[in-house]
């Protein structure tokens, strides 16, 4: 979603800001802009489209500036709605949503002020400008304006007449970093990570004032505060795509190492430290969105089977409105790659309010979720650049299966070693070479079904989401036995069906669904460890994956589905790394 950068220092600001914005491109956006302060005057450059459209401004003068990538919420993606937004002497970039913007705007209009955009953010510029006019103190002006805002915001603000950048944070991430070259602000560590710099993560209600060589932090009352410094290393993910044409393909190849690193982290302390809580746990609630929600469903299948603990999985966006019943001794697991998903954060907060211990399963170690959770089980997938979650999904499964195995062990329900999974993932990747050849049937499809039973169904759901988001083909993940209760009406020869069958006990049942779709002309593609099933006349093509315990099989069966989505995206001419309309990190509700 939207991204913020700010810089003030010895270097020219424009190239620093553009470099930072490029690092934020992966989050998804539809317009971008920068503002530069030079000799007390502000220059704004904004464009619809990519950050590269701003490249012409690289040589512009000014040692302070702010920049933004915008993912449209209020108002269309166009130049006048792009950030920075300016009013009077004030210019700002904003992430988040101002919920009372309409009412505040009416007040501004009543004072005779005019608006040049449809954004909620411009309203904030109006408020700060009004306050700044009173005493010329930008920090105090931002604070006074912030008190009138409801909603979420990360702000970086410049004003004519000052040599400083003021930042504010409320429910939208923001860090400031200090290095030899100057001070930086960003909504995402990725944009400021470099060896030798130290970052400070702002907390909700915090303000920061960046002046030459210095970043001062203040709490909501403007009392100076110290926040724990986070030393930054050079961002390894920005190494680029390596030998791969796309990040998505590279990240699928990185699945084995993401799983290995996550399992190792879970062994060394991650879970052992939580023995007391785990021994007391009677119920498990999982809150998550999208792909992370699917990893939660896979965990339900595994944990209920091996640890015999009841698991409820909630879409985080529904959790608050479901008035969830949270019995004593419920462990709430909030799963998120970014750790910044607004709905997941809100659900985790509510679970805490209801007295539940919250375990964050999170990939970004300094994220809001990592700080909100009572404990963290880190997934160690490394930075994931492609919008489509792939290696982070497998890493989430690794962490969650390790949790299920630990719960089973503590309950005397046996031991479930997971150490073979990195090698099995590697073997699965090698078995997937023919998946690219399936693609012509998918690229020409009207609709695609992914079928499975039990844990296989959850892998099917994730396979379907992947295909939809990167190739724009409509489709559904479906319970194999449910198809004939209505949805079978959609199936014909232009409806490829992917069946996932990894549980021998359920294989015949899912094969019944295969017979049914085949009889309606659908081409059938099979993902299974059972070679004999692939010989059935109904099967158009198949991938034979390694055997493992069926409840853990999504870890392997999802890999050919991720690759299928990737290759189909290429075949339909879509960019698999940047699906239209989507953002990597969904920081608004
Ligand atoms: O960062 P999170 O894991 O909390 O993100 C949740 C979803 O937005 C995310 O999993 C999304 O569904 C995937 N990027 C889709 O591939």
């Amino acid at each position: 979603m939207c991204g913020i950068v700010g810089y003030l220092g010895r270097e020219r600001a424009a190239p620093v800001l553009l470099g930072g914005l490029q690092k934020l491109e992966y989050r998804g956006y539809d317009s971008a802009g920068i503002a530069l302060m030079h000799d007390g005057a502000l220059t704004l450059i904004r464009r619809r489209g990519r950050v590269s459209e701003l490249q012409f401004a690289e040589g512009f003068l000014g040692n302070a500036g702010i920049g933004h990538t915008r993912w449209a919420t209020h108002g269309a993606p166009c130049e006048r709605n792009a950030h920075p937004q300016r009013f009077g002497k004030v210019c700002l970039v904003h992430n988040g949503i101002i919920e009372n913007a309409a009412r505040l705007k009416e007040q501004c209009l009543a004072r005779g002020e005019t608006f040049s955009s449809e954004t909620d953010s411009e309203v904030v510029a109006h408020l700060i400008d009004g306050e700044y006019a009173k005493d010329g103190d930008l920090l105090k002006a931002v604070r006074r304006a912030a008190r009138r805002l409801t909603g979420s915001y990360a702000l970086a603000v410049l004003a004519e007449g000052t040599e400083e950048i003021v930042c504010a944070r409320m429910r939208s991430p923001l860090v400031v970093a200090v290095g030899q070259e100057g001070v930086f602000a960003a909504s995402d560590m990725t944009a400021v990570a470099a060896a030798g710099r130290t970052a400070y993560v702002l907390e909700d209600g915090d303000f920061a004032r960046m002046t030459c060589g210095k970043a001062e932090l203040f709490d909501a009352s403007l009392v100076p505060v110290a926040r724990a410094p986070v030393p930054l290393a050079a961002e390894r993910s920005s190494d680029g795509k390596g030998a791969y044409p796309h990040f998505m393909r590279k990240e699928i190849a990185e699945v084995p190492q993401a799983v290995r690193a996550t399992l190792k982290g879970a062994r060394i302390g991650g879970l052992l430290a939580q023995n007391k809580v785990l021994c007391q746990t009677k119920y498990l609630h999982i809150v998550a969105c999208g792909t992370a929600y699917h990893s939660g469903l896979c965990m339900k299948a595994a944990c209920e089977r091996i640890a015999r603990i009841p698991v409820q999985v909630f879409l985080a966006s529904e959790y608050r409105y479901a008035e969830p019943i949270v019995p004593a001794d419920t462990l709430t697991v909030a799963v998120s790659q970014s750790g910044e998903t607004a709905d997941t954060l809100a659900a985790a907060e509510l679970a805490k309010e209801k007295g539940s211990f919250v375990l964050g399963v999170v990939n970004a170690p300094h994220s809001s979720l990592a700080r909100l959770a009572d404990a963290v089980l880190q997934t160690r997938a490394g930075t994931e650049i492609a919008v489509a979650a792939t290696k982070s999904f497998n890493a989430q499964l690794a962490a969650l299966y390790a949790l299920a195995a630990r719960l089973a062990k503590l309950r005397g329900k046996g031991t479930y070693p997971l150490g073979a999974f990195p090698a099995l993932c590697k073997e699965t990747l090698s078995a997937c070479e023919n998946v690219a050849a399936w693609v012509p049937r998918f690229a020409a499809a009207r609709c695609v079904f992914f079928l499975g039973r039990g844990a296989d169904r959850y892998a099917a759901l994730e396979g379907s989401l992947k295909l939809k988001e990167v190739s724009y083909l409509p489709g559904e993940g479906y319970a194999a036995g449910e198809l004939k209760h209505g949805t079978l009406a959609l199936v014909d020869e232009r409806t490829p069906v992917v069946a996932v069958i990894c549980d021998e006990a359920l294989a015949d049942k899912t094969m019944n669904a295969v017979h049914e779709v085949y009889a309606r002309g659908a081409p059938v593609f099979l993902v299974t460890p059972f070679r004999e099933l692939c010989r059935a006349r109904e099967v158009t093509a198949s991938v034979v994956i390694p055997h493992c315990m069926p409840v853990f099989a999504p870890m392997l069966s999802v890999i050919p589905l991720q690759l299928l989505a990737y290759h189909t995206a290429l075949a339909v001419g879509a960019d698999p790394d940047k699906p239209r309309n989507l953002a990597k990190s969904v920081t608004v509700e």
Side-chain angles (χ1 to χ4, degrees):
M1 278 200 145
C2 305
I4 285 178
V5 290
Y7 172 74
L8 193 155
R10 292 194 316 224
E11 315 276 327
R12 274 224 307 270
V16 178
L17 296 174
L18 292 172
L21 290 181
Q22 272 158 9
K23 291 188 180 156
L24 295 178
E25 284 194 288
Y26 79 99
R27 294 166 63 102
Y29 68 104
D30 32 50
S31 59
I34 59 173
L36 299 167
M37 176 72 86
H38 179 56
D39 279 347
L42 283 167
T43 309
L44 253 71
I45 306 114
R46 303 180 296 185
R47 291 290 182 273
R48 187 190 167 140
R50 317 308 294 171
V51 171
S52 54
E53 304 285 326
L54 306 171
Q55 213 57 45
F56 72 93
E58 201 179 26
F60 284 20
L61 295 177
N63 291 61
I66 52 180
H68 194 258
T69 48
R70 172 174 187 257
W71 187 83
T73 55
H74 286 55
C78 57
E79 195 167 315
R80 73 172 188 290
N81 287 336
H83 296 210
Q85 286 288 320
R86 179 176 186 170
F87 182 73
K89 292 188 166 177
V90 166
C91 173
L92 58 78
V93 290
H94 165 226
N95 284 1
I97 290 187
I98 305 303
E99 286 163 4
N100 58 343
R103 195 161 40 80
L104 294 170
K105 187 171 178 175
E106 272 169 30
Q107 294 165 6
C108 298
L109 289 168
R111 283 200 299 271
E113 294 173 8
T114 54
F115 281 77
S116 55
S117 79
E118 299 146 69
T119 64
D120 53 340
S121 313
E122 189 185 351
V123 177
V124 186
H126 281 244
L127 297 191
I128 297 175
D129 184 70
E131 297 296 340
Y132 183 60
K134 291 178 185 164
D135 55 10
D137 184 327
L138 185 60
L139 178 63
K140 286 185 180 159
V142 172
R143 184 203 174 224
R144 287 195 296 264
R147 292 174 81 168
R148 298 173 60 192
L149 305 175
T150 56
S152 58
Y153 51 82
L155 293 167
V157 188
L158 284 170
E160 280 180 356
T162 62
E163 282 298 319
E164 61 190 15
I165 298 173
V166 171
C167 299
R169 172 199 164 129
M170 182 60 72
R171 281 184 231 104
S172 188
L174 198 62
V175 298
V176 295
V178 184
Q180 294 240 308
E181 332 81 295
V183 280
F184 305 78
S187 50
D188 182 326
M189 291 274 188
T190 318
V192 289
R197 289 183 197 162
T198 304
Y200 301 87
V201 181
L202 271 65
E203 294 190 357
D204 284 344
D206 279 358
F207 297 90
R209 177 165 54 197
M210 295 160 50
T211 46
C212 207
K214 198 160 77 166
E216 301 159 279
L217 302 189
F218 303 89
D219 70 8
S221 314
L222 290 193
V223 175
V225 281
R227 300 287 174 224
V230 181
L232 293 173
E235 244 323 294
R236 297 235 337 253
S237 68
S238 55
D239 289 346
K241 298 172 198 156
Y244 295 93
H246 298 96
F247 281 108
M248 183 178 176
R249 183 65 191 84
K250 176 179 176 240
E251 288 161 3
I252 296 171
E254 287 170 350
V255 163
Q257 75 198 54
V259 171
R260 181 178 296 109
T262 303
L263 289 174
K264 187 172 170 204
R267 263 196 318 273
I268 307 171
L271 283 171
L272 294 179
Q274 302 310 328
N275 264 355
K276 189 163 167 246
V277 174
L278 299 186
C279 283
Q280 285 166 356
T281 297
K282 292 203 183 94
Y283 310 94
L284 213 74
H285 285 181
I286 299 178
V287 292
C289 300
T291 291
Y293 171 73
H294 293 155
S295 73
L297 291 173
C298 295
M299 167 63 167
K300 175 180 168 70
C303 190
E304 290 189 339
R305 181 68 60 88
I306 70 173
R308 304 306 293 159
I309 293 180
V311 181
Q312 262 185 284
V313 191
F314 296 87
L315 285 168
S317 53
E318 293 287 325
Y319 182 77
R320 266 175 302 170
Y321 313 106
E323 297 191 18
I325 299 164
V326 185
D329 298 325
T330 298
L331 170 64
T332 301
V333 183
V335 188
S336 174
Q337 186 284 125
S338 63
E340 301 296 350
T341 301
D343 286 315
T344 307
L345 286 168
E349 235 168 72
L350 179 58
K352 267 182 103 165
E353 272 167 36
K354 286 180 174 279
S356 178
F357 187 93
V358 172
L359 177 68
V361 172
V362 58
N363 201 42
H366 304 292
S367 59
S368 304
L369 180 58
R371 283 176 304 116
L372 177 114
D374 295 302
V376 170
L377 180 54
Q378 201 195 330
T379 54
R380 292 167 198 267
T383 307
E384 192 173 61
I385 299 289
V387 167
T390 54
K391 62 175 178 171
S392 67
F393 175 73
N394 295 73
Q396 283 163 357
L397 292 187
L400 293 168
Y401 290 167
L403 174 61
R406 185 87 198 138
L407 287 164
K409 187 168 181 196
L410 291 172
R411 268 158 192 72
K413 307 264 182 222
T415 52
Y416 295 89
L418 302 168
F421 271 105
L424 293 175
C425 290
K426 208 164 165 198
E427 213 182 302
T428 307
L429 278 166
S430 317
C432 287
E433 267 158 20
N434 66 335
V435 169
W438 298 8
V439 162
R441 300 302 286 268
F442 287 81
R446 215 167 39 85
C447 171
V448 180
F449 280 97
F450 291 79
L451 303 181
R453 276 172 195 266
D456 292 341
R457 174 160 82 93
Y458 302 138
L461 289 177
E462 175 57 12
S464 173
L465 176 64
K466 265 330 54 116
L467 188 73
K468 276 181 279 207
E469 67 175 319
V470 299
S471 73
Y472 316 143
L473 282 174
E476 273 198 72
Y478 226 74
E482 190 60 18
L483 201 64
K484 54 185 164 296
H485 296 288
T487 313
L488 192 56
L490 292 174
V491 173
D492 63 14
E493 55 291 339
R494 287 185 58 211
T495 316
V497 172
V498 181
V500 183
I501 306 182
C502 300
D503 188 342
E504 205 169 6
L506 304 173
D508 287 347
K509 302 281 180 201
T510 305
M511 279 309 277
N512 284 342
V514 166
H515 298 307
E516 289 156 12
V517 297
Y518 177 75
R520 272 87 193 165
V524 176
F525 299 82
L526 195 58
V527 174
T528 182
F530 309 118
R531 204 168 280 279
E532 60 284 7
L533 293 183
C534 307
R535 291 194 277 270
R537 73 185 167 113
E538 291 87 347
V539 176
T540 308
S542 55
V543 167
V544 180
I545 61 171
H547 285 274
C548 71
M549 197 177 157
V551 285
F552 296 139
M555 176 74 97
L556 308 181
S557 59
V558 78
I559 294 173
L561 308 185
Q562 293 167 341
L563 284 165
L564 175 64
Y566 169 76
H567 289 297
T568 310
L570 298 187
V572 301
D575 178 349
D577 286 344
K578 297 191 182 98
R580 68 183 178 208
N581 304 339
L582 299 183
K584 181 67 180 163
S585 167
V586 184
T587 49
V588 294
E589 288 169 29

